[in-house]
Amino acid sequence: MEYEMLVLDLDGTLTNSKKELTEPTRKALLTIQEEGKKVVLASGRPINGVLPLARKLKLQKYGSYILSFNGARITRCLDGTDIYNRTLPKNVIPVIYELISSISGLDLLTYEGDNILSGISVNEYTQKEAFINKMAVRQLADFTSYIQFPINKLLVTGAPPILEKVMPILKGHFHSLLNIYRSEPYFLEIMPQNIDKAYSLQKLLSSIGMSSEQMICCGDGYNDISMIEYAGLGVAMENAQKIVRETADFITRSNDDDGILHVVNTFMRQKPSLAAAPE
């Protein structure tokens, strides 16, 4: 099987522990796009948190794609068009805010442009989200009154033991209305119903006439499992959660050992040399 699309989670997968994209990996991803293959950056990050990496990889030039908010939005980089966009029901926001604000130590976030909007009180995990996305945090005095525009997701930040108790409460309250899960022990994602990376990739593949058998998906976290299972070749990083490694068809090197470069050289290139990689 010749693979035509490479789908990459960002944190813990494409970027190393310092949140950096290494130059050998960057050049390899430019090369396969030059050869006509597509790269998809698939992340829980908001789109503005993905764009810096998209620019480094020249996704606009090569007509590749961004899958942001864990799949709630798919953007065609060639012209910036959203080819898929799902938002949260507006009426759930005040209810979620009331539940989360009643529990000490938690914060509730969403996104607007280059800002992360904090609805309760900034904690260390909110600051971690700001660092990951290279976005500023803006504290809102009245979160529910301010959020009068469509949003793709809410994020609850807090200590893992607290989130472990909060998640079943939210799931029990909203049943099948929302998709609620932890992407990290300290991040609780609140998404539109049925949204995950695999579901959105199915929408993308259908729109461009490609099959899942032509796609490689690489990831390390819980929110990557669906796309790893869906892909023609599902790849887990060596540093991935155990359940992710057990799901995968192939385990590559760690994100600190250019694991994505190893995938490209093993499955997507006829010649391993990077000498001809475009700058």
Side-chain angles (χ1 to χ4, degrees), residues 252-272:
T252 188
R253 298 167 185 167
S254 79
N255 65 318
D256 285 325
D257 192 24
D258 281 321
I260 296 306
L261 175 62
H262 183 56
V263 172
V264 170
N265 285 339
T266 303
F267 297 106
M268 299 193 79
R269 302 192 60 199
Q270 295 180 348
K271 297 180 181 179

Side-chain angles (χ1 to χ4, degrees), residues 88-201:
L88 288 168
K90 188 176 178 180
N91 62 343
V92 306
I93 297 171
V95 181
I96 293 170
Y97 177 81
E98 184 177 352
L99 284 168
I100 298 305
S101 61
S102 69
I103 302 170
S104 178
L106 300 181
D107 197 8
L108 183 64
L109 312 179
T110 193
Y111 310 86
E112 183 184 36
D114 291 328
N115 291 314
I116 295 171
L117 305 178
S118 168
I120 302 173
S121 181
V122 174
N123 57 37
E124 63 179 292
Y125 307 105
T126 298
Q127 292 171 339
K128 185 182 288 286
E129 174 73 350
F131 172 76
I132 289 170
N133 289 285
K134 303 296 185 290
M135 293 168 67
V137 178
R138 180 182 171 193
Q139 182 76 57
L140 297 181
D142 190 340
F143 187 80
T144 55
S145 294
Y146 186 84
I147 308 301
Q148 298 299 316
F149 51 90
I151 60 173
N152 295 101
K153 84 168 186 177
L154 291 165
L155 181 70
V156 184
T157 63
I162 303 176
L163 291 188
E164 188 175 355
K165 295 178 181 178
V166 169
M167 186 168 72
I169 295 172
L170 285 172
K171 282 190 169 185
H173 191 91
F174 293 102
H175 301 289
S176 59
L177 181 63
L178 301 172
N179 193 13
I180 299 169
Y181 56 90
R182 285 198 290 173
S183 55
E184 296 287 353
Y186 40 80
F187 289 158
L188 181 62
E189 311 267 347
I190 302 175
M191 304 291 303
Q193 184 183 29
N194 297 326
I195 288 297
D196 61 30
K197 291 183 180 182
Y199 181 86
S200 298
L201 286 168

Side-chain angles (χ1 to χ4, degrees), residues 65-106:
Y65 301 88
I66 293 172
L67 189 155
S68 54
F69 299 108
N70 278 320
R73 183 183 297 183
I74 304 171
T75 304
R76 183 171 59 213
C77 296
L78 186 67
D79 55 10
T81 300
D82 287 334
I83 60 178
Y84 183 71
N85 189 14
R86 282 280 303 280
T87 57
L88 288 168
K90 188 176 178 180
N91 62 343
V92 306
I93 297 171
V95 181
I96 293 170
Y97 177 81
E98 184 177 352
L99 284 168
I100 298 305
S101 61
S102 69
I103 302 170
S104 178
L106 300 181

Side-chain angles (χ1 to χ4, degrees), residues 208-229:
I208 61 177
M210 194 178 291
S211 77
S212 61
E213 292 302 311
Q214 297 172 280
M215 177 176 69
I216 300 175
C217 290
C218 306
D220 72 303
Y222 299 119
N223 59 331
D224 299 317
I225 291 174
S226 67
M227 72 174 187
I228 287 172
E229 291 178 329

